[in-house]
Amino acid sequence: MVLNITSIKTSSNGVWEGDNPLDYAFPLLTVQIILVVALSRSLAFLLKPLRQPKVIAEILGGVLLGPSALGRNKKYLHRIFPSWSTPTLESVATIGLLFFLFLVGLELDLRAIRRSGSRAFTIAAVGISLPFVCGIGVALLLRKTLPGADQAAFAQFLVFMGVALSITAFPVLARILAELKLLTTRVGETAMAAAAFNDVAAWILLALAVALAGGSGSGSGSNSSSKSPLVSLWVLLSGVGFVVFMMVVVRPLMKVVARRGENENENEAVGEVYVCLTLAGVLVSGFVTDFIGIHAIFGAFVFGLTVPKEGNMAKRLVERIEDFVLGLLLPLYFASSGLKTDVTSIRGASAWGLLVVVIFTACAGKILGTFVVAMFCMIPVRESLTLGVLMNTKGLVELIVLNIGKEKKVLNDEIFAILVLMALFTTFMTTPIVMAVYKPAGGTPVKSQRKLGANKMGNEFRVLACIHGPNNIPSIISLIESTRGTSKSLIKLFLMHLVELSERSSSIMMVQRARKNGFPFFNRRNRHLDLAGAFPKGQVKVRSTTAISSLSTMHEDICHVAEEKRVTIIILPFHKHWRLEADEDCENDNRRRVLENVGHEWRVVNQKVLKKAPCSVAVLVDRGNLTQTASPIAALAQRVCIIFFGGPDDREALELGEMMLQHPTVEVRVVRFVQKDGLNGNESNDIVLSFSNDNNSDKSYSFSTANMNRQTEQELDEAAIAKFRSKLNEKVEYIEKVSENIVEQVVAIGKSGDYDVIVVGKGRFLSNMVAGLAKRQAEHAELGPIGDVLTSSEHDEVTSSILIIQQHDVTIVDDAPIHEVHNEDDKVNDNDSSHRVAISITNNKIV
């Protein structure tokens, strides 16, 4: 039945007028988008533990929405995805696809491809040639076996099948490598370079296939035979001319546009002109290639290659379009693909057998071809096999090829469904096989004990400072400067910018631009976040890098660098950050504190580092005041208070205070809390604590489960205090406070405004004074009782920044959340499964 497109209206008059919104184009499109995005995001969440790329979830979502699953209900299919809505849906999806291919072109750096060397080119050439030949063999088999497969022209069918089996999805591969932390390895670098070669070759082959298809998109058989063979030649020659024009003429022009856009970026209106000009260029390029007879996406891809990768132009373009395109429009393309995929069209044992043959041939051709040539290039067996599996990644680019083949009537429904399932299977298998064959790099096992004062490399103090962004830099400068003495001791600061690896194109662009992929790599010439000028020359050496990783594995990057660089302490930024802003409602230039929260996921990163770190760890809670004291040489004095209750973590805080004493402008005060009955606490009440089975509790403080000798700990505390008191002078002060109400007393110190920084230990070994806080519901349990009190939202009046220190000690790394038990009889309760072991603080018994 011929549909009169003019009878379709854009919007309805509303349900009160008796209209059904689903009978109109725009409301129906809105419902389709909501359904597609919701399903694809839900599947992505379910597949996240399997470390699968988001493209898998989007393809699966499209298949589920199509006739293979939900579409089997004809009422649903005709109501939500009626045939008259297909042109609208596919038009919007194609716009998203157009800009996605532009982003792919932005990700590909042609100069990096040329620099990658002959080995990567050889691997890519053989890795695409053998599967292409295998694809031709499969094409011959399918034409003889499946009914209707011989309807398409012979040459077109062979080329499309060859491309379908030989292609490697560069964007998907890049994210898999980054997720597995293989990008800095030889395997990752070779795979990226070979995939880039492969991607360019695949697009050339695809353009060839479309050119061969010529004008046969309207039919097949006799219709295509009536077309002149010169049509395909003209299409191919026009495509070559288009590419030459873009590289010779447009590419230099885009360099000028990028340069002028960056030079005039202070004028936002002028900057927008260049961005809009570039986005319009994507549409023009797509129209030109569609006019020629090649798919519009080819023009967008080539135009993306012409945009300079240096500078901020590419970054600004990605920031403006990637969220809308990747998050909203691109999933529609998978939905439209899924609506064309009918798994039920694969009928009979022979058809399912052909599916197995296609999958086996695709995997064997790509993996075997890459493996053999990699072995000839003297790459070890395991790495060669890993390369083959990685190069077998399909994903989105594969789906684009298949959709174009179906659009040109080269692939029928059954072959299309077989190839979509093949793409799903080959992409899904990549991550688990690579993890089994070539174990991703992990943290180095802890072999030594590194803590302040115990493991300095001569006179060199090594620090790994992590930041979320520029806002964290002033506080880091101020803190590091306060530890700089006037002697010949040297501080080596490794500064790591933590960036979340996401599905966004900008993440991969940052990875490629930095060329510090996977585990971070420090380069002496790396000027990113250069802080060398912030310190006196010769006393602080700064090396900076960017760690781009998923937040679930970010702690591996941090711990790996800490072990590799043999640092003594890791400084982590708290997930909450306060900054000072001028208050327009107040006079005298008063400032108010503004709270910024980077998210719970970053808090989890800190928790994992505290668990796994191979050295001491400090969490810096910046209240905004350190920004005011930071200067190029920290000329302003800093006032530091160390709160001491006793135990390894508090002694580590005291050790840091001794280092600060060497700085001429830093004033240090130690406030030691003692019990009413003296230091020994022999007459204090018994406090019995029991450990919980819930090791991941965020509401209870965690303490070491190691058996400690309280007498020995007390002796160590007294020795540390005595050592500190021997250095008392006009800049150093020591006072003792009798513990009464710990919370009020500690908060009073923070609210006094007398100190820029308050240093406390995490307190994994409890003293009687602090043990009473165990019943307190924790807000930030990873900071320990005292650190949590000072950073709690209940005590916003605290103005000092807080530094919470955890000492590294291999004997006390195991800890667990605890609950208070009020009397001795309750400490062992066989009927209570929530408690596994109890500890008496006074008697130091573990039962």
Side-chain angles (χ1 to χ4, degrees):
M1 183 181 74
V2 178
L3 180 67
N4 183 8
I5 194 71
T6 59
S7 65
I8 302 174
K9 295 183 179 180
T10 302
S11 58
S12 69
N13 295 317
V15 293
W16 303 119
E17 294 286 342
D19 289 347
N20 185 343
L22 298 183
D23 292 333
Y24 297 84
F26 180 73
L28 180 60
L29 177 64
T30 305
V31 171
Q32 291 171 342
I33 293 175
I34 293 172
L35 183 62
V36 169
V37 172
L39 182 59
S40 62
R41 288 293 178 179
S42 300
L43 289 173
F45 177 78
L46 294 175
L47 293 174
K48 191 174 183 179
L50 300 178
R51 304 179 80 168
Q52 292 294 329
K54 193 174 69 174
V55 66
I56 291 289
E58 291 172 332
I59 296 176
L60 275 177
V63 172
L64 291 176
L65 289 172
S68 301
L70 296 176
R72 296 176 70 85
N73 185 329
K74 299 302 179 184
K75 185 176 181 180
Y76 149 83
L77 192 63
H78 294 320
R79 171 52 65 190
I80 304 299
F81 293 101
S83 58
W84 61 263
S85 71
T86 302
T88 305
L89 178 64
E90 292 190 348
S91 295
V92 176
T94 303
I95 292 176
L97 184 65
L98 201 69
F99 281 99
F100 173 77
L101 265 297
F102 170 67
L103 292 177
V104 173
L106 280 179
E107 290 179 0
L108 276 177
D109 189 346
L110 294 178
R111 292 193 305 176
I113 294 176
R114 288 196 298 266
R115 290 194 302 263
S116 57
S118 58
R119 183 170 67 177
F121 177 78
T122 304
I123 291 174
V126 178
I128 201 173
S129 300
L130 184 58
F132 191 87
V133 173
C134 293
I136 293 176
V138 170
L140 296 174
L141 179 62
L142 292 177
R143 285 179 72 88
K144 291 182 179 180
T145 308
L146 294 179
D150 56 353
Q151 294 293 316
F154 184 73
Q156 301 167 15
F157 189 69
L158 293 186
V159 173
F160 266 101
M161 287 299 300
V163 173
L165 267 66
S166 60
I167 203 167
T168 296
F170 174 80
V172 179
L173 176 64
R175 286 166 178 81
I176 290 176
L177 287 169
E179 176 72 21
L180 297 180
K181 302 190 183 300
L182 293 176
L183 279 163
T184 44
T185 64
R186 180 170 59 176
V187 169
E189 292 175 352
T190 305
M192 283 288 285
F197 277 122
N198 199 315
D199 222 28
V200 174
W203 288 111
I204 294 173
L205 290 172
L206 180 59
L208 173 64
V210 175
L212 289 175
S216 63
S218 59
S220 57
S222 61
N223 191 29
S224 62
S225 63
S226 63
K227 300 291 181 180
S228 170
L230 290 177
V231 172
S232 298
L233 180 62
W234 279 115
V235 170
L236 186 60
L237 291 177
S238 300
V240 172
F242 170 78
V243 173
V244 172
F245 176 80
M246 295 294 286
M247 294 300 164
V248 174
V249 178
V250 176
R251 194 177 184 190
L253 289 177
M254 289 307 300
K255 289 183 179 179
V256 175
V257 169
R259 186 165 56 250
R260 294 191 62 181
E262 291 176 12
N263 291 340
E264 302 179 26
N265 61 5
E266 293 181 0
N267 186 340
E268 189 63 26
V270 175
E272 289 295 330
V273 170
Y274 293 107
V275 172
C276 292
L277 179 65
T278 306
L279 298 181
V282 178
L283 300 175
V284 171
S285 301
F287 174 80
V288 171
T289 49
D290 192 78
F291 180 82
I292 290 173
I294 304 176
H295 201 282
I297 60 174
F298 185 74
F301 172 74
V302 175
F303 186 73
L305 295 176
T306 65
V307 178
K309 306 302 184 287
E310 304 82 8
N312 295 322
M313 186 68 174
K315 179 182 177 182
R316 294 178 66 195
L317 289 169
V318 170
E319 288 175 348
R320 278 160 172 74
I321 65 177
E322 67 174 338
D323 286 333
F324 183 68
V325 170
L326 301 184
L328 204 62
L329 298 185
L330 196 61
L332 292 182
Y333 184 78
F334 294 104
S336 64
S337 302
L339 293 173
K340 303 172 190 174
T341 305
D342 188 1
V343 177
T344 61
S345 64
I346 307 176
R347 301 184 183 92
S350 61
W352 286 101
L354 285 173
L355 171 61
V356 175
V357 170
V358 170
I359 293 176
F360 177 80
T361 306
C363 296
K366 181 65 88 171
I367 296 174
L368 185 62
T370 306
F371 174 77
V372 171
V373 71
M375 289 291 293
F376 274 109
C377 292
M378 306 303 292
I379 297 178
V381 175
R382 181 173 294 184
E383 294 184 12
S384 298
L385 182 58
T386 304
L387 267 176
V389 176
L390 289 169
M391 296 299 290
N392 196 37
T393 304
K394 305 292 184 190
L396 172 66
V397 185
E398 171 81 4
L399 216 59
I400 294 172
V401 173
L402 300 182
N403 274 282
I404 294 176
K406 195 170 191 304
E407 178 186 329
K408 299 294 183 181
K409 305 296 178 65
V410 177
L411 307 175
N412 62 22
D413 292 345
E414 191 169 7
I415 297 176
F416 181 79
I418 288 174
L419 294 178
V420 168
L421 293 179
M422 179 270 294
L424 265 176
F425 182 83
T426 53
T427 305
F428 190 89
M429 64 181 268
T430 300
T431 299
I433 292 182
V434 169
M435 292 182 68
V437 174
Y438 189 84
K439 184 176 177 60
T444 306
V446 176
K447 298 180 181 179
S448 59
Q449 188 164 297
R450 288 204 299 278
K451 52 188 177 182
L452 296 176
N455 206 358
K456 292 183 183 179
M457 300 184 62
N459 291 324
E460 191 174 78
F461 177 44
R462 293 182 166 228
V463 182
L464 172 60
C466 302
I467 62 172
H468 296 147
N471 289 339
N472 301 130
I473 292 179
S475 58
I476 291 294
I477 293 176
S478 181
L479 182 61
I480 297 299
E481 169 63 23
S482 67
T483 63
R484 179 185 61 82
T486 56
S487 62
K488 297 181 179 179
S489 60
L490 172 68
I491 297 178
K492 184 166 279 190
L493 172 62
F494 299 96
L495 189 71
M496 182 187 296
H497 183 198
L498 308 179
V499 178
E500 179 185 6
L501 174 71
S502 65
E503 296 287 338
R504 299 162 64 99
S505 295
S506 55
S507 292
I508 299 301
M509 289 182 67
M510 288 182 66
V511 166
Q512 291 180 302
R513 179 181 297 184
R515 298 181 69 85
K516 313 291 181 291
N517 319 348
F519 281 132
F521 176 83
F522 290 88
N523 190 336
R524 293 178 181 273
R525 296 182 180 179
N526 183 14
R527 296 182 179 179
H528 179 59
L529 297 175
D530 185 9
L531 302 184
F535 305 100
K537 187 175 181 181
Q539 292 193 11
V540 181
K541 290 185 178 180
V542 183
R543 297 286 180 265
S544 62
T545 189
T546 300
I548 305 174
S549 177
S550 61
L551 295 185
S552 61
T553 59
M554 182 70 77
H555 67 285
E556 295 179 8
D557 292 46
I558 299 171
C559 295
H560 173 84
V561 170
E563 182 66 36
E564 183 184 58
K565 299 301 179 183
R566 294 169 291 173
V567 301
T568 305
I569 190 169
I570 299 171
I571 300 176
L572 300 173
F574 191 51
H575 67 283
K576 294 179 181 178
H577 170 77
W578 285 262
R579 58 184 173 85
L580 296 180
E581 274 190 357
D583 194 341
E584 298 178 357
D585 299 330
C586 297
E587 298 179 356
N588 302 324
D589 195 28
N590 287 337
R591 293 175 177 268
R592 59 188 177 92
R593 279 184 168 79
V594 179
L595 173 63
E596 296 178 345
N597 192 336
V598 295
H600 177 74
E601 295 81 2
W602 287 104
R603 178 189 178 190
V604 175
V605 172
N606 286 359
Q607 291 171 338
K608 290 180 178 179
V609 173
L610 287 165
K611 279 273 189 183
K612 305 292 184 181
C615 59
S616 293
V617 181
V619 179
L620 177 60
V621 182
D622 184 7
R623 293 278 187 179
N625 57 321
L626 291 182
T627 304
Q628 307 306 307
T629 61
S631 63
I633 56 173
L636 299 178
Q638 278 197 18
R639 301 159 300 167
V640 179
C641 176
I642 300 172
I643 298 178
F644 188 89
F645 287 94
D649 295 337
D650 284 25
R651 293 196 296 271
E652 192 78 346
L654 206 60
E655 189 72 39
L656 182 65
E658 290 186 33
M659 296 178 61
M660 292 178 171
L661 293 179
Q662 302 178 37
H663 197 285
T665 64
V666 176
E667 301 175 359
V668 180
R669 170 183 287 182
V670 173
V671 178
R672 185 185 187 186
F673 283 86
V674 297
Q675 293 176 318
K676 288 183 179 180
D677 52 357
L679 295 176
N680 295 327
N682 293 327
E683 299 177 6
S684 61
N685 296 326
D686 271 353
I687 298 177
V688 180
L689 301 172
S690 59
F691 291 106
S692 169
N693 282 327
D694 184 8
N695 288 321
N696 296 317
S697 175
D698 283 338
K699 301 300 182 183
S700 301
Y701 302 114
S702 294
F703 300 96
S704 174
T705 57
N707 193 358
M708 68 174 181
N709 187 313
R710 186 162 298 278
Q711 183 65 33
T712 302
E713 287 296 312
Q714 184 176 324
E715 292 174 358
L716 292 173
D717 291 343
E718 294 298 332
I721 289 293
K723 179 183 176 184
F724 185 87
R725 296 184 70 173
S726 66
K727 301 179 181 181
L728 294 179
N729 55 43
E730 66 278 1
K731 293 197 307 95
V732 186
E733 187 177 357
Y734 171 83
I735 63 174
E736 291 183 354
K737 286 182 176 289
V738 177
S739 62
E740 295 176 352
N741 187 320
I742 297 296
V743 173
E744 288 185 3
Q745 290 175 299
V746 168
V747 170
I749 295 175
K751 292 167 58 177
S752 66
D754 295 336
Y755 309 105
D756 298 305
V757 184
I758 297 176
V759 184
V760 300
K762 182 180 176 182
R764 287 167 299 164
F765 276 153
L766 279 175
S767 66
N768 259 328
M769 293 173 286
V770 180
L773 298 179
K775 63 184 178 181
R776 184 177 183 272
Q777 186 172 359
E779 184 175 346
H780 310 112
E782 69 275 12
L783 302 182
I786 304 302
D788 184 35
V789 166
L790 289 168
T791 57
S792 171
S793 57
E794 299 176 9
H795 306 126
D796 285 337
E797 306 90 348
V798 174
T799 58
S800 303
S801 294
I802 315 298
L803 187 70
I804 299 94
I805 296 183
Q806 172 183 289
Q807 184 189 76
H808 179 247
D809 192 331
V810 293
T811 62
I812 60 173
V813 292
D814 293 329
D815 55 26
I818 65 171
H819 301 276
E820 184 178 17
V821 181
H822 293 283
N823 57 66
E824 187 74 16
D825 295 334
D826 288 338
K827 72 178 178 179
V828 178
N829 188 347
D830 295 334
N831 297 324
D832 189 355
S833 60
S834 67
H835 304 123
R836 62 180 182 186
V837 68
I839 180 171
S840 170
I841 297 301
T842 300
N843 301 325
N844 189 34
K845 286 193 244 176
I846 294 182
V847 296

